[in-house]
């Protein structure tokens, strides 16, 4: 039926319910009498509010305009009545007809007791249940769902009353259904609802309870497939026996206790019902079998329908191993994989039900076959015969992999299969690969089937697995395998993996066994810290995993608890020798403290970036507790403890520059332990990044000798053997020795004198490897004129570490590109340095192309338009419209009569912008993104190089200021140009840090490595490159970017960790333990006694994250395209976990502020004020939790929104960039959140 037909039925129904000639006085036990009574009640309230309306008849009689328009006084009165009564009448009807509730009043019913129509009228007449207030009348709305006709009168009112008491009952009593049921019935006993329901005779309870259950299921359980009716009937048949069963019949029965039982039964089995619905949607065929079960009757003590559903599903999912059906393996495997999580979840939540053990055994057998087929048989179809032999090994198709005998049984079977491989001629050449596949199969069987939260491995299996982790017979354990032929595993990956699984699923039991092994292995441990370190790191990983499982968990609150626990245990063992008395409790305590230090490290970064006002009370308290912990001599030493670990954590994760910025704050100087400070002042000698050049260290020493001896002989001799590629490190050494000496005062002996500068200047002018441009750059650096226009670049005491590192990048980039300017591939950078105006009509590298993503452009063609306010929208098949309205803001777009719109404001999507089109730095994206074929890391590097060149040009070449202004084309003044490009460069470095998942110090080092690669590698010249480097088309830009990326950037990114670690070690060689003890401590270069364990337990370990994995895959996406695409979308997938909280918050705000008259209040109230006005602590806690869900999801998806389009009034639009850079907090207005 259409909505119009449905509305027509409502009108017809009303005409039947409202009599043409009502009998006066009206009876309230009729629909019409009850309706008039409600309207009259509202009108009386109206007269109390609007006093002048008490004389409304006289007022209408005296109003000449109304009499003139109405014709007669009777018509005037009728109009007045219509005007006042019709809205009230309509609103009341809208409310009472929720879920087609009015249909009940016309249904015939054969009963001698209370009919449903009489119950309907009793509820409608009850002032406490159906109370209409004039003040809030406009806010009363109905859902008017035409697809659902309720059976129980006003069932949603009953549901709301019971639901309102549910939270308090469960928070007080937990989830024990019998206790919750009794408590709910007691607190609802004296409510108006029970007073009405108590009038219903017992003979009607069963029918009404069944009707209420059915209505309840239709509202709370949503079915997506076409057999919805059957699923509701199955659920009804499973729940009703429990509602009327012995457990929910312990108190005096009544209709109210039955209805409360509906809520208790559903809420108690909500997870089972949800997963059952999920399984049915995946395998709809099981519905028929489930539907037939009601003939045999359902369990009245607990729900097991979901387990029967799994039974039927497994029969359908078992892989057929006969030849005739093998061709459908891929489809059957896909179906099995889709059901895997659902079946695992159902088995997990059904712990204790007798049927679950039988199902788990069958499920293990099916998974065994599935894993073998996936790992081995799909690649080698002839080996399906081995899967057939599993049927002989497990004749009843049941197996339990939590038992050690089952694992050994499988091991023996696979060992026997090796002989089968060798006998097959076709397989002889592939035996090695088959063994790898079989080993992978066996490892996954153990990892996925042995570990079950509700059914852990038996003791013998735990002992067997721990014996693999601790192999006392050899320094390195054998790899975990079914085969005895495997070689020793020198990297403890498998041991670590097994131990993590054991700790994750069976923590308490495993810890007991670990203590036994540590006691037995005392002598072995004294000579080998690996075992202790392995245990501690696995315990730490288990804590991290646990913290990640809860959505929007308060990490600071959890960290406070772990900090107290860890401190207590460590202090208790402070007087004992850890080396001679190692315990698992002590290792676990250290793991807890390490986790807390990681949380605090992130908080310190948040504190530094956003300020203390953005910290929650728990976060602020945690920082104070950590300060006390780090200053506690009982917990800390120079080699070990939370103090030295958090120092390493902060410096290695966020950089030494970040550590220096923290130390300048009196509140945070505790981060650096007191023994590592010099005279209460933290002195950090910056690393020299140019040491990545092999000859740089010697050149720097030679330049220093010239400065003090003022003799050039040795330097000139060395330079004679140089090639042009050595010009870069030579100029950089001059910059470091001469230019950076301006940091010191004129009286300081380290300040280079004018005489020494003059000698160096003469040397550069005669240097054979310097051409004219490099000589000019050398003079600029010697005289320190490159930084006159930008204060941040000026070398001086107190220059921030980030400004110093950014200046080094600018100088390095300018020198490198000038040295390589003859190469065609470098021409875009050369033009940026010397003639930026030539690029005004060019497509600059890494800059956005067409504003819409390629997928949208392909789908929509070129019919996107832009209104005067900057909103983009799509005009479909109707083509060009001269005059129309913007669907976003409503602005009239008149292209015909407004000449400014014809070419500028209204444009097609294929008109890409050229030149420097980036907006202001604070309006740019906050997360790294890719452009065309460039990865996020490569894009950040290349854009940083562009901005570094522009900073140099803006600071050193006044002649091209007009060119720069025309290139930028935005509201930037000439005097602002250096700062404008400088801020963009620093923003690029922040994005690079995020893209490579490393500190900002490492990001700057990576850029120096790329520049070194540029200076060393000669790009092969070609005729095409000269054309491409002009960047006159988007295609040319894309090809140039690919060539530059492949030649100079990818060689660094492909082995990024190796290059960064090697470069860091080169930089540290320039340090001494005496002068740079802080560096030595952070990078763990301080010598430690080989027999001590404690310092090793506090060693820094970088965590491998998804971001880290994604960064690695950026350089190998051709080899792993599916994994690359998955990780690319991972932030959006991760954001889906926050949807329940977002929807709850949306509903809460909608209920309170969906009317126009509510908006002024929302536009004046702050979010934090709204939270404070909530009635209970639980509601405030829930609000803050839901608000955190919105924040977390927004941070994850906002940069993806630029690729997203949606429809508004049949026009397709996308989110403007300025909306993607917004920020807000709890001090923002509530209307902003809405």
């Amino acid at each position: 039926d259409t909505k119009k037909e449905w509305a027509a039925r409502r009108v017809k129904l009303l005409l039947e319910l409202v009599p043409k000639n009502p009998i006066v006085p009206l009876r309230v036990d009729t629909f019409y009498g009850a309706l008039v009574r409600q309207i009259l009640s509202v009108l009386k309230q109206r007269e109390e509010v609007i006093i002048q309306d008490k004389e409304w008849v006289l007022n209408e009689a005296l109003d000449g305009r109304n009499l003139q328009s109405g014709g007669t006084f009777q018509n005037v009165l009728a109009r007045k009545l219509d005007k006042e009564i019709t809205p009230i009448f309509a609103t009341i009807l809208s409310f009472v007809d929720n879920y087609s509730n009015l249909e009940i009043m016309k249904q015939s019913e054969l009963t001698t007791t209370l009919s449903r129509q009489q119950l309907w009228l009793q509820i409608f007449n009850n002032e406490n249940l159906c109370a209409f207030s004039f003040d809030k009348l406009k806010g009363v709305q109905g859902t008017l769902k035409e697809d659902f006709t309720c059976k129980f009168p006003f069932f949603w009112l009953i549901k709301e009353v019971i639901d309102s008491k549910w939270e308090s009952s469960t928070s007080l009593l937990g989830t024990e259904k019998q206790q919750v049921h009794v408590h709910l019935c007691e607190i609802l006993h004296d409510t108006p609802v029970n007073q009405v329901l108590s009038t219903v005779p017992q003979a009607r309870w069963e029918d009404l309870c069944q009707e209420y259950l059915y209505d309840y299921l239709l509202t709370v359980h949503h079915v997506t497939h076409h057999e919805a009716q059957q699923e509701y009937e199955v659920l009804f048949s499973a729940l009703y026996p429990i509602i009327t069963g012995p457990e929910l019949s312990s108190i005096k029965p009544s209709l109210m206790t039955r209805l409360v039982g509906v809520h208790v039964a559903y809420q108690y089995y909500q997870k089972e019902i949800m997963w059952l619905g999920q399984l049915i949607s995946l395998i709809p065929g099981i519905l028929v079998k489930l539907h037939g079960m009601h003939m045999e009757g359902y369990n009245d003590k607990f729900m097991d329908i979901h387990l029967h559903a799994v039974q039927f599903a497994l029969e359908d999912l078992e892989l057929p191993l006969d030849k005739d059906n093998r061709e459908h393996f891929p489809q059957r495997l896909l179906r099995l994989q889709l059901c895997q999580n659902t079946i695992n979840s159902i088995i997990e939540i059904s712990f204790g039900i007798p049927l679950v053990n039988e199902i788990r055994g069958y499920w293990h057998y099916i998974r065994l076959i599935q894993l073998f087929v996936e790992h081995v048989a799909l690649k080698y179809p002839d080996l399906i015969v081995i899967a057939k032999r599993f049927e002989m090994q497990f004749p009843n198709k049941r197996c339990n992999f939590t038992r050690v005998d089952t694992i050994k049984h499988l091991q023996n079977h696979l060992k026997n299969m090796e002989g089968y491989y060798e006998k097959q001629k076709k397989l002889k050449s592939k035996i090695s690969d088959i063994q790898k596949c079989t080993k992978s199969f066996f490892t996954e069987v153990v990892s996925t089937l042995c570990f079950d939260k509700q059914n852990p491995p038996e003791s013998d299996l735990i002992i067997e697995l721990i014996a693999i982790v601790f192999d006392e017979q050899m320094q390195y354990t054998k790899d975990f395998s079914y085969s005895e032929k495997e070689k020793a595993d020198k990297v403890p990956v498998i041991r670590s993996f097994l131990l993590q699984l054991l700790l994750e699923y069976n923590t308490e039991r495993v810890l007991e066994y670990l203590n036994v092994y540590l006691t037995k292995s005392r002598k072995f441990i004294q000579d080998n810290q690996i075992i202790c370190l392995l245990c501690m790191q696995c315990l730490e990983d288990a804590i991290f995993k646990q913290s990640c499982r809860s959505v929007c968990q308060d990490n600071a609150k959890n960290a406070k608890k772990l900090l107290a626990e860890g401190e207590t245990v460590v202090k208790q063992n402070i007087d004992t020798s850890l080396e001679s008395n190692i315990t698992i409790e002590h290792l676990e305590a250290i793991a807890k403290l390490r986790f807390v230090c990681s949380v605090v490290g992130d908080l310190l970064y948040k504190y530094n970036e956003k300020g203390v006002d953005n910290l929650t009370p728990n976060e602020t308290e945690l920082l104070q507790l950590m300060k006390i912990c780090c200053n506690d001599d009982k917990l800390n030493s120079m080699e070990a403890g939370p103090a030295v670990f958090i120092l390493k954590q902060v410096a290695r994760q966020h950089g030494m520059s970040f550590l220096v910025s923290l130390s300048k704050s009196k509140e945070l100087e505790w981060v650096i332990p007191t023994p590592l400070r010099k005279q209460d002042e933290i002195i950090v000698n910056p690393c020299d990044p140019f040491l990545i050049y092999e000859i740089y260290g010697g050149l720097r020493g030679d330049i220093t000798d010239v400065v003090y001896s003022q003799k050039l002989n040795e330097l000139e001799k060395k330079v004679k053997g140089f090639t042009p590629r050595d010009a870069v490190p030579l100029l950089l050494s001059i910059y470091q020795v001469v230019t950076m000496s301006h940091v010191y005062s004129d009286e300081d002996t380290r300040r280079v004198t004018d005489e020494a500068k003059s000698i160096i200047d003469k040397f550069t002018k005669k240097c054979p490897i310097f051409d004219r441009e490099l000589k000019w750059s050398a003079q600029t650096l010697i005289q320190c004129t490159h930084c006159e226009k930008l204060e941040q670049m000026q070398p001086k005491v107190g220059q921030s570490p980030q400004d110093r590192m950014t200046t080094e990048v600018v100088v390095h980039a300018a020198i490198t590109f000038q040295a390589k300017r003859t190469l065609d591939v470098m021409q875009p950078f050369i033009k940026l340095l010397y003639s930026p105006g030539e690029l005004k009509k060019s497509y600059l590298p890494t800059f956005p192309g067409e504003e819409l993503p390629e997928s949208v452009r392909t789908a929509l063609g070129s019919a996107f338009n832009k209104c005067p306010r900057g909103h983009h929208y799509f005009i479909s098949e109707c083509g060009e419209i001269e005059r129309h309205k913007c669907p976003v803001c409503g602005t009239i777009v008149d292209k015909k009569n407004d000449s400014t719109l014809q070419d500028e404001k209204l444009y097609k999507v294929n008109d890409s912008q050229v030149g420097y089109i980036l907006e202001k730095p604070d309006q740019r994206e906050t997360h790294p993104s890719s452009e065309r074929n460039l990865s996020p890391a490569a894009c950040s590097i290349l854009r940083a190089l562009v901005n570094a060149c522009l900073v140099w040009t803006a600071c050193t070449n006044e002649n091209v200021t007009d060119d720069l202004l025309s290139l930028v084309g935005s509201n930037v003044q000439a005097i602002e140009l250096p700062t404008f490009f400088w801020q963009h460069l620093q923003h690029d470095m922040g994005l690079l840090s995020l893209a490579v998942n490393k500190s900002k110090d490492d990001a700057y080092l990576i850029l120096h490595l790329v520049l070194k690669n540029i200076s060393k590698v000669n790009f092969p010249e070609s005729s095409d490159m000269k054309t491409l480097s002009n960047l006159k088309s988007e295609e040319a830009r894309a090809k140039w970017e690919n060539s530059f990326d492949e030649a100079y950037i990818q060689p660094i990114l492909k082995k990024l960790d190796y290059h960064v670690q090697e470069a860091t070690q080169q930089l540290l060689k320039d340090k001494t333990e005496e002068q740079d003890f802080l560096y030595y401590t952070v990078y763990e270069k301080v010598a430690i006694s080989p027999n001590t364990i404690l310092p090793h337990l506090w060693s820094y370990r970088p965590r491998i994250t998804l971001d880290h994995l994604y960064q690695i895959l950026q350089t190998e996406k051709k080899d792993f395209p599916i994994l690359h695409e998955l990780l690319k979308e991972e932030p959006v997938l991760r954001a889906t976990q926050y949807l329940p909280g977002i929807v709850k918050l949306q509903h809460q705000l909608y209920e309170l502020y969906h009317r126009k008259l509510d908006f002024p209040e929302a536009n004046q109230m702050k979010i934090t004020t709204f939270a404070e006005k909530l009635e209970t602590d639980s509601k405030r806690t829930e609000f803050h939790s839901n608000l955190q869900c919105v924040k977390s999801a927004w941070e994850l998806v906002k940069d993806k929104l630029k690729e997203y389009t949606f429809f508004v009034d049949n026009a397709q639009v996308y989110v403007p960039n300025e909306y993607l850079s917004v920020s807000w907090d709890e001090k923002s207005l509530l209307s902003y959140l809405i």
Side-chain angles (χ1 to χ4, degrees), residues 362 440 592 998 1174 1181 1199:
Y362 191 20
S440 174
K592 290 178 179 178
K998 295 187 180 297
L1174 295 174
T1181 302
D1199 288 321

Side-chain angles (χ1 to χ4, degrees), residues 946-1093:
V946 169
N947 283 313
C949 290
L950 288 168
V951 170
W952 178 267
T953 305
C955 290
T956 62
N957 194 346
E958 292 182 354
N959 298 327
V960 295
T961 300
D962 291 338
D963 285 352
L964 287 175
L965 290 172
S966 64
L967 178 69
V968 173
S970 60
N971 297 324
V972 180
Q973 303 298 320
I975 196 172
E976 299 171 340
L977 283 171
T979 303
F980 177 77
F981 295 127
W982 176 268
Q983 291 173 347
H984 272 294
L985 174 56
Q986 291 197 327
H987 187 81
D988 292 329
M989 298 312 299
L991 293 180
L992 177 57
S993 171
L994 293 173
V996 297
N997 197 36
K998 295 187 180 297
S999 68
K1000 284 188 179 179
D1001 293 28
D1002 286 342
Y1004 281 97
L1005 185 57
I1006 291 167
L1007 203 59
H1008 286 298
L1009 289 170
V1010 171
L1011 287 166
K1012 175 191 173 184
N1013 199 37
I1014 293 171
S1015 70
K1016 295 292 184 183
V1017 176
N1018 283 325
F1019 191 88
E1021 293 297 312
S1022 66
S1023 56
D1024 291 341
M1025 184 50 64
K1026 192 168 186 177
T1027 305
L1028 294 177
S1029 60
N1030 288 325
L1031 307 178
K1032 292 301 181 184
S1033 68
E1034 286 203 89
E1035 294 74 17
R1037 171 173 61 183
K1039 290 180 180 179
W1040 181 90
E1041 287 173 340
N1042 292 340
S1043 300
F1044 190 90
D1045 180 37
E1046 188 175 339
Y1048 300 117
I1049 301 177
Q1050 288 307 312
I1052 303 299
L1053 293 181
K1054 283 182 179 178
K1055 294 183 178 180
L1056 186 62
D1057 286 338
Y1058 167 77
H1059 288 299
V1060 171
Q1061 289 173 14
E1062 188 181 58
T1064 301
Q1065 292 306 314
Q1066 284 179 290
L1067 269 53
L1068 290 175
K1069 288 177 183 178
D1070 197 41
K1071 303 290 181 183
T1072 63
E1073 186 170 351
E1074 183 181 356
Q1075 294 294 324
D1076 304 285
F1077 191 70
L1078 186 58
Y1079 273 100
Y1080 268 64
T1081 303
V1082 166
Y1083 288 95
E1084 298 173 347
K1085 292 177 69 67
V1086 179
I1088 298 174
S1089 173
N1091 295 325
T1092 58
I1093 293 177

Side-chain angles (χ1 to χ4, degrees), residues 547-769:
S547 71
C548 292
R549 285 196 179 122
S550 301
V551 178
C552 292
Q553 174 179 292
D554 188 344
N555 269 344
K557 183 178 180 180
N558 183 40
K560 282 163 44 181
K561 176 174 172 287
L562 293 174
L563 177 61
E565 294 172 357
E567 282 183 319
T568 302
V569 174
V570 172
K571 286 181 178 180
Q572 286 173 352
N573 294 271
I574 203 70
D575 296 327
T576 60
S577 171
L578 187 61
E579 282 72 17
S580 61
N581 193 27
I582 188 74
T583 64
I584 199 66
E585 290 80 10
H586 203 129
L587 294 178
E588 187 178 19
I590 292 176
K592 290 178 179 178
L593 291 176
R594 284 171 61 102
F595 170 79
V596 174
C597 289
S598 299
V599 174
V600 170
D602 293 335
L603 282 183
L604 290 170
Y605 185 78
K606 179 180 177 182
Y607 180 104
N608 191 68
E609 292 290 310
K610 299 182 179 180
V612 68
D613 292 340
N614 283 278
L615 299 182
T616 66
N618 276 330
E619 290 173 341
T620 304
E621 186 180 353
L622 177 61
L623 287 181
Q624 292 302 317
L625 292 172
M626 197 65 196
K627 178 180 178 180
I628 297 170
C629 176
C630 290
N631 290 324
D632 191 337
D633 293 337
K634 293 182 179 180
L635 294 170
N636 298 283
S637 69
M638 286 290 289
E639 296 177 340
V644 73
F645 182 72
I646 201 168
L647 172 72
K648 297 174 187 176
Q649 184 84 14
V650 170
R652 298 284 285 275
Q653 192 166 336
H654 302 293
M656 291 294 288
S657 60
F658 174 71
L659 189 64
V660 173
S661 65
L662 282 185
S663 67
K664 293 180 180 178
S665 167
K666 279 291 181 185
E667 293 80 9
L668 299 177
E669 64 180 6
W670 57 266
V671 175
I672 299 182
T674 305
L676 295 177
R677 303 179 200 166
K678 293 185 178 180
Q679 300 173 352
D680 292 331
E681 181 182 355
I682 294 138
I683 300 174
V684 179
N685 298 317
C687 286
D688 188 344
F690 308 131
L691 285 165
I692 58 176
Y693 289 92
E694 292 77 8
I695 65 172
Y696 171 82
L699 286 172
R700 187 183 63 179
D702 293 335
I703 298 293
T704 304
D705 290 342
V706 171
V707 167
Y708 289 105
S709 68
Q710 298 191 0
K711 294 179 181 179
L712 290 169
N713 297 340
E714 293 299 322
L715 181 60
E716 288 174 341
K717 286 179 183 179
K718 182 179 285 190
V719 170
K720 285 181 180 179
F722 280 6
T723 62
R725 70 168 55 186
D726 298 321
V728 175
L730 179 56
L731 259 179
L732 291 175
S733 63
I734 293 174
Y735 166 78
Q736 197 65 266
V737 174
V738 180
T739 309
M740 291 307 293
S741 73
H742 287 78
V743 170
Y744 310 112
S745 63
D746 292 337
E747 293 76 21
D748 197 312
T749 57
R750 290 172 290 184
R751 177 76 175 249
V752 177
T753 63
D754 291 339
E755 291 81 4
K757 287 182 186 178
S758 177
I759 292 173
I760 299 294
D761 188 36
K762 288 178 182 178
F763 163 74
T764 58
K765 290 177 180 177
K766 294 179 180 179
C767 185
I769 61 172

Side-chain angles (χ1 to χ4, degrees), residues 1 55 168 234 645 755 778 785 885 1039 1092 1193 1218:
D1 293 340
E55 304 295 334
S168 60
V234 166
F645 182 72
E755 291 81 4
T785 57
K885 184 166 66 172
K1039 290 180 180 179
T1092 58
E1218 59 266 25

Side-chain angles (χ1 to χ4, degrees), residues 73 103 137 199 220 223 294 452 503 518 579 594 626 634 738 794 872 927 1153 1159:
F73 184 51
E103 296 283 356
L137 193 64
T199 63
V220 298
V223 181
H294 77 275
D452 187 330
L503 289 169
L518 288 173
E579 282 72 17
R594 284 171 61 102
M626 197 65 196
K634 293 182 179 180
V738 180
Q794 294 171 7
H872 299 82
H927 289 273
Y1153 296 102
F1159 196 76

Side-chain angles (χ1 to χ4, degrees), residues 483-527:
S483 175
E484 296 176 355
K485 300 177 182 179
E486 295 293 329
K487 297 180 180 178
D489 172 31
K490 294 186 178 182
V491 181
V493 175
I494 298 297
R495 291 186 292 166
S496 174
F497 175 64
L498 284 175
L499 187 53
Q500 284 184 44
L501 286 172
L502 286 164
L503 289 169
E504 184 175 355
Y505 291 100
N506 312 276
T507 305
E508 292 183 6
R509 291 177 62 187
V510 172
L511 290 178
E512 293 176 11
Y513 287 109
L514 283 178
N515 252 336
V516 173
Y517 270 89
L518 288 173
T519 303
K520 289 181 179 179
S521 309
R522 186 79 58 219
K523 183 177 181 303
F524 176 61
I525 289 172
Q526 287 180 358
D527 301 325

